[in-house]
Amino acid sequence: PFLVQDPQVKARRLARALISDMISYHPAKRAQALKDGTLKAVFEEEIKKSWEEFAGQVGRELAESTTHFTDALNEILGDGSKIF
């Protein structure tokens, strides 16, 4: 499973890793934004950069045809809330 070649699995893992990194680098900023309900606005630049990295690595077609990135945003950055 670690070296899985399935593009869907790889894309999902990459999306989750990129979003997890945002939290690792900005835990207090995330906590405050969640509390204030401003997650989208506060993390706008980080989300754009992570999306470009994601699309660049998995290919724009796969990135745009799946919900992996959005799912990771909601599950991880949004703490399970459907924000994105």
Side-chain angles (χ1 to χ4, degrees), residues 1 4 14 20 22-23 42-43 58-59 65 67 72 76 82-83:
V4 166
L14 176 61
S20 293
M22 275 190 242
I23 296 170
V42 169
F43 278 88
V58 303
S65 68
T67 60
I76 300 169
K82 191 166 177 107
I83 298 170

Side-chain angles (χ1 to χ4, degrees), residues 4 12 29 32 40-41 47 49:
V4 166
R12 184 173 184 275
K29 179 177 169 179
Q32 189 63 48
K40 277 185 177 179
I47 292 169
K49 288 178 188 174

Side-chain angles (χ1 to χ4, degrees), residues 6-22:
D6 181 348
Q8 295 289 332
V9 173
K10 290 169 79 173
R12 184 173 184 275
R13 284 185 182 160
L14 176 61
R16 296 180 68 78
L18 289 167
I19 304 308
S20 293
D21 284 351
M22 275 190 242

Side-chain angles (χ1 to χ4, degrees), residues 9-74:
V9 173
K10 290 169 79 173
R12 184 173 184 275
R13 284 185 182 160
L14 176 61
R16 296 180 68 78
L18 289 167
I19 304 308
S20 293
D21 284 351
M22 275 190 242
I23 296 170
S24 296
Y25 296 130
H26 308 287
K29 179 177 169 179
R30 174 187 177 245
Q32 189 63 48
L34 271 172
K35 182 179 163 199
D36 296 343
T38 58
L39 209 55
K40 277 185 177 179
V42 169
F43 278 88
E44 184 176 6
E45 283 303 311
E46 289 89 346
I47 292 169
K48 283 181 184 176
K49 288 178 188 174
S50 291
W51 167 255
E52 290 304 321
E53 179 68 23
F54 176 71
Q57 286 196 38
V58 303
R60 192 153 298 273
E61 184 178 326
L62 178 62
E64 292 176 353
S65 68
T66 65
T67 60
H68 298 314
F69 192 80
T70 304
D71 291 346
L73 283 171
N74 286 320

